[in-house]
Amino acid sequence: MELELTAEQRQLRDMVREFAEKEMAPHTREWDQDSIFPSELIMKLGGLGLMGIIFPEEYGGAGLGYVEYATAIEELARVDGAVALIVAAHTSLCTNHIFQSGNEARHKKYVGPLASGRMLGCWSLTEPEAGSDAGGTRTRAERQGDGWLLNGAKTFTTNGTHADVCVAMAVTNPALGHHGISAFIIEKGTPGFRAGRQEHKMGMCASDTSEMIFEDCWIPEENLLGEEGQGFVDSLKVLDGGRISIASLAVGMAQGAFEAALSYSQERHQFGRPISDFQGIQWKLADMATEIEAARLLTLQACHRKDHGQPVTKEASMAKLFAGETAVRVAGEAVQIHGGYGFLKDYPVEKFYRDVKLCTIGEGTSEIQRLIIARHLLEQ
Ligand SMILES: Cc1cc2nc3c(=O)[nH]c(=O)nc-3n(C[C@H](O)[C@H](O)[C@H](O)COP(=O)(O)OP(=O)(O)OC[C@H]3O[C@@H](n4cnc5c(N)ncnc54)[C@H](O)[C@@H]3O)c2cc1C
């Protein structure tokens, strides 16, 4: 059992860290405060091969695995969780669904441009009435001519307004329940398809979260992704990888908040000495570092299983649950260690505190992760 990153993986981590500190850190505050979607940065990430790490080189990807992917997401999130979320939704949700369920023609047409970052992707499962119960999807796709007519609305779609390609789930046979839901690829500019309201969020403000609206939107048969009726089942597989993304995002943000608190505790003096001299602060730092390491190991375990083709649903849910809850606790303690200054926008922990909450909600809430884990335990 090998618990160290390889030399190549460390090289990738260092490269992403340097990029994040140079190209992202000086701008994160402005992107956050003004909710600016960092389009130019996304193009640079594409240039570095970071928009398609897990896809084969023949399709423009980096040909690497989930360990490398999670390492890169962690490093981006350590500086700005919103950027990591943009990359995660694009990679492990949109592009991965097309890669996983699409045929050779779909791979060539979409995976190539998406994996190389020439196109941006989004993935729409959630609806106003179908969140945790995503099988309650109402968006409808009906056969019309040699294609499909889509009507309905999706909500909470990351990258929705900026994406060139959307993968969306819609009901093709209401009588078949979960097995009557199919996945479709819809390109930006298709008549009847548009992004609706952009949400105003408490955190992850530089990432775009939008409604997606389908009004008599006709798409050709070839844009049915995978088998008819398999869209929901395929989505659950896609979410295994998605949950690994959110776990690594949580680890990265927790690490960023921890590092800020560690250095602040050594700089800030009260009662004539640095606050890091006080055992009350030392114990907080020790708990934070320990929990982050445990979350990282759970995440890497899920990555390792995914890279080796082993079942990963339970492990991905455990990683996401633990890492998400850890990130919320760690960011809270990081604010606490900063005292009143942690409450100010001048210090990075305030942003981490707001951003990390997404990790216990997106791609299945903590309650839903517990439900998945318990289902696996009780089945055995
Ligand atoms: C910033 C952001 C980005 C997102 N990006 C995307 C995206 O790109 N694509 C996409 O499709 N979706 C996306 N989502 C949607 C996200 O996946 C959903 O918000 C999430 O799955 C929860 O659904 P909901 O908000 O409808 O909450 P609800 O399902 O209404 O849940 C409300 C509460 O009830 C609890 N609950 C529900 N059912 C149960 C149960 N059976 N047992 C116990 N508790 C339960 C939940 O845990 C939660 O606490 C995003 C969300 C956010 C906030």
Side-chain angles (χ1 to χ4, degrees):
M1 188 176 181
E2 185 57 76
L3 285 174
E4 292 292 322
L5 295 180
T6 63
E8 290 78 19
Q9 288 164 346
R10 287 200 302 274
Q11 216 175 355
L12 173 79
R13 181 194 61 194
D14 295 347
M15 184 270 281
V16 181
R17 179 170 294 202
E18 197 186 323
F19 175 85
E21 282 174 355
K22 194 164 145 235
E23 303 282 344
M24 291 161 51
H27 308 289
T28 53
R29 209 166 136 203
E30 185 200 350
W31 291 338
D32 176 65
Q33 273 180 11
D34 299 337
S35 295
I36 295 171
F37 185 87
S39 301
E40 282 177 24
L41 182 92
I42 301 305
M43 282 158 65
K44 287 183 189 168
L45 287 167
L48 287 173
L50 298 177
M51 295 301 278
I53 293 181
I54 51 176
F55 306 108
E57 285 172 281
E58 61 183 294
Y59 297 123
L64 299 170
Y66 272 78
V67 171
E68 289 84 0
Y69 172 60
T71 302
I73 293 287
E74 181 184 331
E75 288 304 325
L76 294 175
R78 177 178 162 272
V79 172
D80 193 340
V83 171
L85 181 62
I86 294 167
V87 177
H90 165 89
T91 307
S92 56
L93 297 181
C94 176
T95 315
N96 196 42
H97 197 150
I98 301 176
F99 181 66
Q100 185 187 283
S101 306
N103 55 24
E104 184 64 17
R106 298 304 86 199
H107 289 169
K108 286 218 169 90
K109 183 164 183 195
Y110 296 109
V111 177
L114 286 163
S116 62
R118 295 198 304 281
M119 277 184 171
L120 183 69
C122 69
W123 191 79
S124 288
L125 175 64
T126 307
E127 296 187 1
E129 302 303 325
S132 299
D133 181 16
T137 292
R138 292 183 182 176
T139 295
R140 192 75 170 88
E142 291 171 285
R143 277 196 185 279
Q144 191 181 86
D146 52 358
W148 296 86
L149 196 67
L150 270 60
N151 276 292
K154 296 283 175 183
T155 187
F156 283 121
T157 299
T158 299
N159 299 340
T161 300
H162 294 84
D164 303 288
V165 176
C166 176
V167 171
M169 274 36 81
V171 176
T172 42
N173 186 341
L176 295 179
H178 290 178
H179 294 284
I181 298 173
S182 305
F184 296 91
I185 302 173
I186 307 101
E187 289 183 30
K188 190 178 196 166
T190 305
F193 172 56
R194 65 186 166 89
R197 191 183 65 238
Q198 258 182 304
E199 305 297 351
H200 294 286
K201 308 190 292 291
M202 69 186 265
M204 298 292 199
C205 298
S207 83
D208 146 41
T209 312
S210 297
E211 276 184 315
M212 308 305 288
I213 296 170
F214 302 93
E215 290 165 325
D216 287 335
C217 168
W218 187 88
I219 52 168
E221 177 66 30
E222 63 191 26
N223 282 23
L224 170 69
L225 178 58
E227 299 288 316
E228 185 182 339
Q230 277 294 305
F232 185 71
V233 177
D234 287 350
S235 292
L236 298 183
K237 287 185 210 141
V238 167
L239 281 169
D240 285 346
R243 285 169 184 154
I244 292 175
S245 298
I246 302 293
S248 31
L249 218 150
V251 171
M253 287 193 283
Q255 181 69 32
F258 167 74
E259 286 176 24
L262 180 67
S263 69
Y264 185 83
S265 74
Q266 292 164 292
E267 288 156 17
R268 174 70 174 169
H269 284 65
Q270 287 293 280
F271 301 97
R273 35 190 184 140
I275 59 168
S276 62
D277 272 10
F278 303 126
Q279 195 181 48
I281 299 293
Q282 290 175 4
W283 285 19
K284 282 188 197 300
L285 292 168
D287 285 347
M288 290 156 83
T290 305
E291 289 190 27
I292 293 168
E293 201 54 36
R296 184 178 289 118
L297 288 171
L298 268 182
T299 306
L300 288 173
Q301 173 188 245
C303 292
H304 186 270
R305 291 180 69 88
K306 183 107 177 96
D307 286 341
H308 287 79
Q310 294 165 344
V312 74
T313 304
K314 182 183 73 181
E315 289 76 10
S317 283
M318 285 178 162
K320 189 206 177 258
L321 170 64
F322 187 78
E325 298 284 335
T326 293
V328 169
R329 269 195 304 276
V330 166
E333 290 291 53
V335 169
Q336 194 67 18
I337 289 171
H338 279 70
Y341 297 94
F343 210 68
L344 305 183
K345 289 197 178 284
D346 303 1
Y347 289 83
V349 290
E350 180 271 345
K351 178 177 180 312
F352 282 122
Y353 187 73
R354 287 183 287 109
D355 288 349
V356 288
K357 191 59 196 156
L358 182 265
C359 299
T360 68
I361 296 170
E363 301 199 29
T365 61
S366 289
E367 290 77 17
I368 294 303
Q369 303 314 313
R370 289 188 174 96
L371 193 144
I372 294 167
I373 296 162
R375 205 176 277 157
H376 275 76
L377 298 176
L378 295 166
E379 265 172 16
Q380 279 167 10

